[in-house]
Amino acid sequence: MMAFGLIALIAGAASALMFASIVSGALISLVLFYLAPLPLMVAAIGWGPLCASLGGIAAAIGLGALFGLPYCIAFAVTVALPAWWLGHLVLLSRQVGPVTPDAATEPVAGPELEWYPVGRILLWIAGFAALTTIAALLTLGTDADTIIGTLRRGLMRILRATDPQASGEADQFVDALVRIAPAAATIVAMMTLTLNLWLSARVTATSGRLRRPWPDLMTAELPPMTLVALCIALAFCFTGGLLAIVAQITTAALMMGYALTGFAVLHTLTLALKSRTFWLGSTYAVVVVFGWPVIAMVILGLADAVFGFRERFLRSRQPPPLPTP
């Protein structure tokens, strides 16, 4: 029990330090800030959600005592809560088969377990990315005009600090940035949460503490109703006001979810290629370097959700049934 509590405190302290490093203003602190959920996620997957919850509570209280209540709430919402819940989902399973002995003389076999689907975990990640972005924007104001105005003033200060001779073209550039800032922040939150969860699972698997088999990521797919939610969010993007901003954030999060499933589709459809590693590596490199080609992955993920490309491809690769005598 002492070791369990010590691990929880160490994970919480590491996450709190990485989260608080942003106040230094150093460039490396931005990387540490985005990796802040990692220690708590490792604790949640390796030692259970209770370990992460104890570490997260201790870290939030410590940050609140040192920096004030806003830091405490921000850490709890953006770091501790996602780390605890996503770690819980990774270990969530249910029995799908009866416990029966393999033979009369053999011991009772263990139950067959069905683990929480990767696609539903992606949907939860999208939800947390949208929640944290909306919460961050609400600290700037409670209506669209106030939020946009605050974002614009902040970006103008940054631009004029780097270029005091900023002209009217810079104003137009800042206006464009303000419009895409909520969606961009959501995409960053989505990608960093996904990366943190993957890294934490890899760490625990390497250390032998991962208590579930490694999932087949090529089978990841979002629930069917996600497409309906995306269409509704897209429709609300054209309304205006705070509702439109929330809809844009939701749309960006769900589209990034489909982008990730698009990569899973790509991994499946390239199984028959001899130069598969080259094509996959080139695709990842192009997306990382340029960014905008991720739209192709979104389209591929959406197309698979509608037309079932992976299912058709895998069915075509199965050998034909043997003829009946």
Side-chain angles (χ1 to χ4, degrees):
M1 189 64 185
M2 287 289 294
F4 182 86
L6 185 61
I7 291 170
L9 290 177
I10 292 173
S15 286
L17 287 172
M18 295 165 75
F19 180 83
S21 67
I22 196 68
V23 300
S24 67
L27 185 60
I28 188 63
S29 66
L30 190 62
V31 177
L32 295 174
F33 175 80
Y34 282 121
L35 291 177
L38 182 60
L40 287 176
M41 283 185 179
V42 171
I45 298 174
W47 286 268
L50 179 60
C51 184
S53 62
L54 291 176
I57 291 171
I61 293 173
L63 285 172
L66 292 174
F67 299 102
L69 184 60
Y71 275 84
C72 172
I73 297 174
F75 178 84
V77 173
T78 63
V79 177
L81 180 61
W84 164 73
W85 184 247
L86 293 175
H88 165 71
L89 294 180
V90 167
L91 301 178
L92 191 62
S93 64
R94 65 181 179 183
Q95 182 178 329
V96 294
V99 182
T100 55
D102 293 336
T105 58
E106 293 181 0
V108 176
E112 183 181 354
L113 297 179
E114 179 184 13
W115 298 92
Y116 198 75
V118 175
R120 292 185 179 272
I121 295 178
L122 278 179
L123 190 59
W124 276 103
I125 292 174
F128 278 121
L131 173 65
T132 54
T133 306
I134 292 170
L137 289 180
L138 289 178
T139 62
L140 306 178
T142 56
D143 60 271
D145 292 337
T146 304
I147 292 172
I148 292 174
T150 306
L151 283 174
R152 191 180 189 282
R153 288 191 295 271
L155 289 173
M156 285 300 298
R157 281 197 300 267
I158 295 173
L159 184 62
R160 284 171 180 161
T162 56
D163 183 12
Q165 305 298 326
S167 61
E169 294 181 359
D171 292 344
Q172 297 177 359
F173 176 69
V174 168
D175 289 338
L177 283 180
V178 167
R179 295 297 176 183
I180 66 172
T186 307
I187 292 171
V188 171
M190 177 82 180
M191 297 308 298
T192 52
L193 269 178
T194 305
L195 177 63
N196 278 311
L197 187 60
W198 183 83
L199 285 174
S200 60
R202 277 298 181 190
V203 169
T204 51
T206 303
S207 63
R209 296 201 63 91
L210 184 62
R211 290 174 284 174
R212 63 165 292 173
W214 190 262
D216 184 5
L217 299 180
M218 289 193 298
T219 62
E221 59 180 358
L222 296 174
M225 289 303 294
T226 308
L227 194 58
V228 178
L230 177 59
C231 293
I232 295 173
L234 275 171
F236 279 109
C237 287
F238 299 96
T239 55
L242 186 61
L243 180 60
I245 295 177
V246 173
Q248 291 166 13
I249 290 171
T250 305
T251 300
L254 294 179
M255 281 191 170
M256 282 309 300
Y258 278 111
L260 293 173
T261 60
F263 281 108
V265 176
L266 184 66
H267 276 260
T268 303
L269 298 182
T270 55
L271 284 173
L273 295 179
K274 292 183 179 179
S275 55
R276 179 171 180 260
T277 303
F278 169 77
W279 289 111
L280 289 176
S282 300
T283 303
Y284 279 105
V286 169
V287 171
V288 170
V289 172
F290 297 102
W292 64 265
V294 76
I295 298 174
M297 294 297 102
V298 175
I299 296 172
L300 187 58
L302 289 170
D304 179 72
V306 176
F307 301 108
F309 288 152
R310 275 180 293 185
E311 184 180 352
R312 294 182 183 184
F313 175 80
L314 293 175
R315 194 186 302 125
S316 67
R317 285 174 57 86
Q318 292 178 353
L322 296 175
T324 54

